[in-house]
Amino acid sequence: MAVRPITVIGHKALHQPTKKVREITPEIRTLVQDMFDTLDAANGAGLAANQVGVRLRIFVYDCADGSDVEQRGVVINPVLEKGTVPPGDPAPEDGAEGCLSVPGEWFPTARSDWARVTGIDLDGNEVVVEATGGTLARCLQHETDHLDGKLYVERLTPTYRTKAREAMKARGWEARRITKWDPATQQAEKV
């Protein structure tokens, strides 16, 4: 299989809602394997299809749940349920969140402590992934946001949103016209 380039914030693919998968085809199976290969190469917790430029409602994950047990899987056509998101600025040590499409940056992001997604797997079987606490609960919310065309930096409180804008400007992705990066080579790609 293959490691695919990951789109960087500012790329239009990240800001458009994805489309429901109607049929599990060989191309979908290849995409999912490529997504796992890409996630592994990038050392990430989750990856949505639109992060590799495919507007389909699929994400893969590989992270610990609230009991620190590693969970790995794929959810196709996920539907998210979540608990209440605490108001105000999250504590920096409790809510640091990063994103493969905003490489190298981490910002405190308020998320619910509990989340569940339902969808299907590559065999068309129903999948239910639920987590309380841990990286997995955050990941389920983060990846579903991607599929809805939303990035975690859009969920930041005003305090952290300003810091995120400054950090991204300092990285110069937009000024240098960087739209993707390749986790296999760690090289940026320009428009």
Side-chain angles (χ1 to χ4, degrees), residues 143-175:
E143 299 310 325
T144 304
D145 272 355
H146 270 303
L147 300 177
D148 293 337
K150 184 173 277 249
L151 292 171
Y152 88 103
V153 294
E154 297 170 46
R155 293 213 177 268
L156 299 177
T157 61
T159 302
Y160 292 113
R161 193 174 306 130
T162 299
K163 291 179 182 182
R165 282 190 194 118
E166 291 168 358
M168 288 180 279
K169 186 175 181 179
R171 291 217 179 246
W173 296 319
E174 186 176 355

Side-chain angles (χ1 to χ4, degrees), residues 55-159:
R55 283 188 59 203
L56 291 175
R57 204 158 177 80
I58 303 170
F59 74 79
V60 297
Y61 61 93
D62 187 353
C63 53
D65 63 16
S67 302
D68 289 329
V69 175
E70 280 296 311
Q71 304 288 328
R72 184 175 172 95
V74 58
V75 183
I76 299 169
N77 299 330
V79 175
L80 174 70
E81 298 173 74
K82 64 182 180 181
T84 304
V85 176
D89 284 345
E93 63 278 3
D94 294 335
E97 189 166 321
C99 180
L100 296 175
S101 291
V102 188
E105 298 298 335
W106 295 81
F107 297 99
T109 309
R111 295 282 187 185
S112 172
D113 193 44
W114 171 83
R116 173 176 44 219
V117 293
T118 55
I120 60 171
D121 65 14
L122 283 172
D123 295 319
N125 299 317
E126 183 182 31
V127 172
V128 178
V129 183
E130 184 172 352
T132 300
T135 305
L136 184 57
R138 182 174 294 278
C139 179
L140 298 175
Q141 295 167 76
H142 181 109
E143 299 310 325
T144 304
D145 272 355
H146 270 303
L147 300 177
D148 293 337
K150 184 173 277 249
L151 292 171
Y152 88 103
V153 294
E154 297 170 46
R155 293 213 177 268
L156 299 177
T157 61
T159 302

